[in-house]
Amino acid sequence: MTPRRRPRLPTWALLGALLGASATTWPWPAEAHRAAALCTSTREPALALRLSQDIAAVLKGRDGTVSVAVHDPARELRCRLDDTLAYDSASVAKVLIMQAVLGRAEELGRAPTRLEARRMKAMITRSDNTAASDLWQGLSRARLNRVLREAGAQDTVLGHDRYWGLTRTTARDQLALLAAVSRRAEAMNLMGQVAHDQAWGVSAGAPRTVKVHLKNGWLPRATHAWRVHSIGIARPASPAPGGALDYRIALLSHDNPTMRYGVRTLEGIALVVHRALSGGGTAARGFTPPEKISETPDGSAPYEPPGARPPERTDPTEQAPPKAPPEQGPGPAGRTAAPTSRTARVRRRAPRRPRSRPSE
């Protein structure tokens, strides 16, 4: 009989306990991951293999659908797990908006205006939706698509009208966009100032010597439940000789039964990535405590409770109102248009009668 191998790292026992403590048995169908986590590196193949195993170990037994994309240029290391699977972007779309605004200012040979700078800061550091909507509406779809094309994003489809939060994107495209964003000092500065209560996800497990510049998204919808996303760039917390530390992480997920569950899954992945790529050290930020996660949507798209269905009509003679476009609902700033009254709909459907002339 072949003897059972003992775990390679004793820290996995602690990690497993932490992950297991939050993995309450949910009445939610687990979706099997379609591919094993795969990291490759021409310079450090052993490190890539170990990181592949560590990511797979974190995801083992976790519900939901998760995509992973990691790139460490110095090590020529890449990790890909379902990185071409499409998700609703939620608030990570704000990084694209910021990149487009900064690019436009650069083309015009100027710095961002005071109003643009104020809106970008609110949009990135506090995830302000009104600021995001104002900037989005000032950008043409042609410009936004050009930003994506120049970054090398291949599969992202912009949300219609004002609904930037329903932009469809992939982990691979988010990684490409992060590479473009990383070359803009102003963008890095804003992503490094995200409010503490929104700085979960890819920051988990980063040592004190590492600064993570990030943006997150969290949104429940009627299908696929909670989308929980976290993207970021890791660099030295202070200037250091060599300055070789520079890697990017994009973690996208949906089918999470709660926001807390999704955050814990992503933070488990982030922890092993930082441990492998930053050389260890005391973590500046561990897992986000469950009580610090609000379960409140980021407001980037119309609110839909997971599993919600439209009410059934009981009167078969009643005509259904005209279907609204999928994006219709609460606006990005959280405002909801008043529904058209039934009387008004009936008036619109009724044929117009010719007006009779008054008798002379």
Side-chain angles (χ1 to χ4, degrees):
M1 180 181 294
T2 304
R4 295 179 63 182
R5 294 183 179 180
R6 302 182 64 185
R8 291 181 297 102
L9 295 172
T11 52
W12 278 117
L14 176 59
L15 177 61
L18 288 170
L19 288 170
S22 65
T24 307
T25 302
W26 301 98
W28 199 264
E31 178 172 329
H33 297 289
R34 286 169 292 284
L38 178 62
C39 301
T40 59
S41 171
T42 55
R43 293 191 175 185
E44 300 186 43
L47 175 69
L49 175 60
R50 186 164 65 250
L51 183 54
S52 295
Q53 295 169 344
D54 290 350
I55 292 173
V58 171
L59 290 175
K60 186 177 181 180
R62 302 294 289 179
D63 287 353
T65 303
V66 182
S67 293
V68 178
V70 178
H71 185 208
D72 184 334
R75 292 184 172 90
E76 297 179 2
L77 179 143
R78 286 186 178 273
C79 299
R80 299 182 178 93
L81 171 63
D82 287 340
D83 63 339
T84 59
L85 191 65
Y87 297 81
D88 293 327
S89 64
S91 279
V92 297
K94 292 168 180 172
V95 174
L96 168 61
I97 297 172
M98 173 181 64
Q99 178 72 355
V101 172
L102 291 174
R104 180 177 61 188
E106 183 179 10
E107 285 182 15
L108 296 174
R110 61 168 175 81
T113 66
R114 206 176 306 179
L115 181 59
E116 288 172 339
R118 186 168 68 246
R119 286 172 172 169
M120 282 191 295
K121 183 173 183 178
M123 174 180 71
I124 297 297
T125 64
R126 296 186 285 106
S127 208
D128 185 278
N129 293 324
T130 300
S133 296
D134 291 340
L135 292 171
W136 171 269
Q137 292 181 65
L139 296 163
S140 69
R141 296 179 72 83
R143 177 174 293 279
L144 288 162
N145 279 316
R146 181 158 61 110
V147 169
L148 291 168
R149 185 171 63 252
E150 290 174 351
Q154 305 175 42
D155 304 310
T156 297
V157 179
L158 299 174
H160 289 289
D161 301 322
R162 296 172 298 161
Y163 297 106
W164 41 265
L166 295 181
T167 294
R168 299 283 287 171
T169 192
T170 66
R172 180 177 68 178
D173 280 6
Q174 287 303 305
L175 204 64
L177 187 59
L178 285 175
V181 167
S182 69
R183 296 189 284 272
R184 295 190 184 278
E186 187 164 355
M188 293 292 289
N189 181 50
L190 290 175
M191 293 174 69
Q193 298 180 56
V194 170
H196 187 76
D197 62 342
Q198 296 180 11
W200 42 263
V202 293
S203 60
R208 299 183 186 281
T209 55
V210 173
K211 172 75 172 178
V212 181
H213 310 257
L214 80 164
K215 187 71 191 81
N216 296 329
W218 57 102
L219 178 71
R221 301 281 284 166
T223 58
H224 293 300
W226 276 90
R227 293 103 172 101
V228 181
H229 310 320
S230 187
I231 62 174
I233 302 163
R235 285 186 174 171
S238 57
L245 183 78
D246 185 354
Y247 54 91
R248 299 177 278 279
I249 310 171
L251 306 177
L252 308 183
S253 71
H254 60 206
D255 295 324
N256 296 290
T258 66
M259 180 181 168
R260 293 182 181 93
Y261 189 92
V263 170
R264 180 52 56 88
T265 299
L266 300 193
E267 291 191 336
I269 300 170
L271 184 147
V272 299
V273 170
H274 290 306
R275 185 173 61 194
L277 303 184
S278 64
T282 304
R285 179 167 183 147
F287 291 139
T288 304
E291 64 274 12
K292 298 292 186 180
I293 303 172
S294 68
E295 299 291 331
T296 301
D298 63 13
S300 57
Y303 175 69
E304 290 181 355
R309 294 182 179 179
E312 296 182 1
R313 298 194 309 274
T314 56
D315 183 357
T317 63
E318 181 184 357
Q319 295 186 28
K323 287 187 177 180
E327 295 82 9
Q328 190 167 343
R335 296 184 293 271
T336 306
T340 307
S341 69
R342 186 168 182 268
T343 302
R345 293 197 301 269
V346 171
R347 285 176 178 170
R348 283 203 302 263
R349 289 197 297 268
R352 292 186 176 181
R353 297 180 179 177
R355 293 183 179 180
S356 59
R357 294 182 179 180
S359 57
E360 298 179 356

